[in-house]
Each structure stands twice: as structure tokens, then as C-alpha cells.
Amino acid sequence: MKFFPVILALALVMALALLTMVPFNLNAQCLQGDCEEGQGTFKTGDGGTYTGQFRHEKPYGRGQYTTAAGGSYNGEFRDGEFIIGLANFITSNGDRYEGEFSKGNMNGKGTLFVKSGEIYAGEFRDGEFSGQGTYTYADGTYCRGEFKEGKLNGFGIFETKEGTFDGEFKDNEPVEGTFRGKDKAIYVGHFKNGKFDGKGKITLPDGTKMEGEFKEGELVVKK
């Protein structure tokens, strides 16, 4: 008896290359205030603007930099570099990030809007999914749980078209837990490659119960 296919194939969508320095060049100009040692508004040569504090003619302290493309960095600057705060920008992959930013990367809580229509909302560490988060696919299915180094590891929930799995994950794949099918069937046990595999018990929609050893989604040894 065969059951459901691979239930989790989480695509990693990390993008680390992003602007952290306010671009100064010969075409830049101070629009108002003191852009040397005070508070002012500065227009960069590429059409962006910075409003905030300056030291030694560079952004230093609290401020906001808005790029010509509409991205924004609001927080703490040092020697022209964005150090920590809230960011809203388009990554080199064409995805959009909104959230906390520090140490030159996505760190803290944020949301990544993938250009293919997928969304990750949760915690980041050095540009990777790390901590509690929810990854929602374009078709509305989603997985939620503990991420580590960009992958779902530990307890999580995955809502598929076939049903819902809740249990333990390792590197994006379910290893042990409960799958509740849309047809009301319930499987409790081990998994491998997204399929029932190992010791498990299944209750069919009509109430029939089967327990034993599963292999690639099939019951091969009945208890």
C-alpha cells in the first residue's frame, strides 16, 4: 500500500550581496544642513539620499539612506557604512528583504519576499534562515518551525496539498512524527526521503488500523 510522496523540498533563497556603504563621488552634493560635522541631507551621485548625522563628511550616527531604486536603510551609520537598524532592499537575486540588519547582513527578525512568489518570515543569522520562521510557498502551502543554517531542523509543521505533518525534521526532511491526510488517514511513525519509512502505524479513513514496518511509503511487514 503506497501513501504520500516527498512532502518537503525547501529551496534556499539566500542573498548576501547588498549595499552597506553610502556611495560618495564627485557628483554628490549636500542639499541642506551640515554634511561635514552635523545634521544634514546629502544626495549621492547615483540618485540616492541620506538624511542624518555626519562626521568627517561621512554618515556617522543616526540616519536614513534611501536608494534611487526605493530601498532604504534606517539606523546607525559609521564612516559611511550602515551598521545596524531596519532595512528594505532588493537582493542581488531580485528578492526583497524587509527587517533587521546588522554586521553587514540580514540578522534578526525579517521577511524575505522571493521573486517566485514564496515568502519567508522569521529569524535570520548572517543571511540565512536561523531560528523560528515560516516559509510559505506560492501555492499557499507552508512549513513552520526551527531553522538552522538555512534548513528546517528540529520540530516543525508542514502543510501540504496531501495533508499536514508535524514532528521532527533534519535538513528539511521529516524523520519522525504524525501525518494527517486530507482523506482523514493518520500515520504516526518514521519517515525517510519524505515517505513513510521505518516503524509506524496508520489509521485509514474507514477506521482500519495497520502497524508494522514501512518502506518507501509501503507497508512491507505487518505487525
Side-chain angles (χ1 to χ4, degrees), residues 61-136:
R62 297 292 302 179
Q64 177 170 325
Y65 173 62
T66 303
T67 69
S72 66
Y73 301 82
N74 189 345
E76 192 75 17
F77 290 78
R78 184 175 300 167
D79 293 327
E81 183 178 359
F82 184 60
I83 302 300
I84 187 170
L86 297 178
N88 181 338
F89 58 85
I90 303 297
T91 71
S92 59
N93 292 340
D95 307 323
R96 180 167 60 90
Y97 174 76
E98 295 180 359
E100 297 175 340
F101 182 98
S102 64
K103 300 178 182 179
N105 217 324
M106 296 175 278
N107 278 292
K109 295 182 179 180
T111 303
L112 187 68
F113 299 87
V114 186
K115 61 182 178 181
S116 60
E118 299 167 355
I119 300 173
Y120 171 81
E123 297 175 299
F124 291 79
R125 182 176 183 180
D126 296 332
E128 293 185 325
F129 308 151
S130 185
Q132 288 294 318
T134 300
Y135 193 99
T136 304

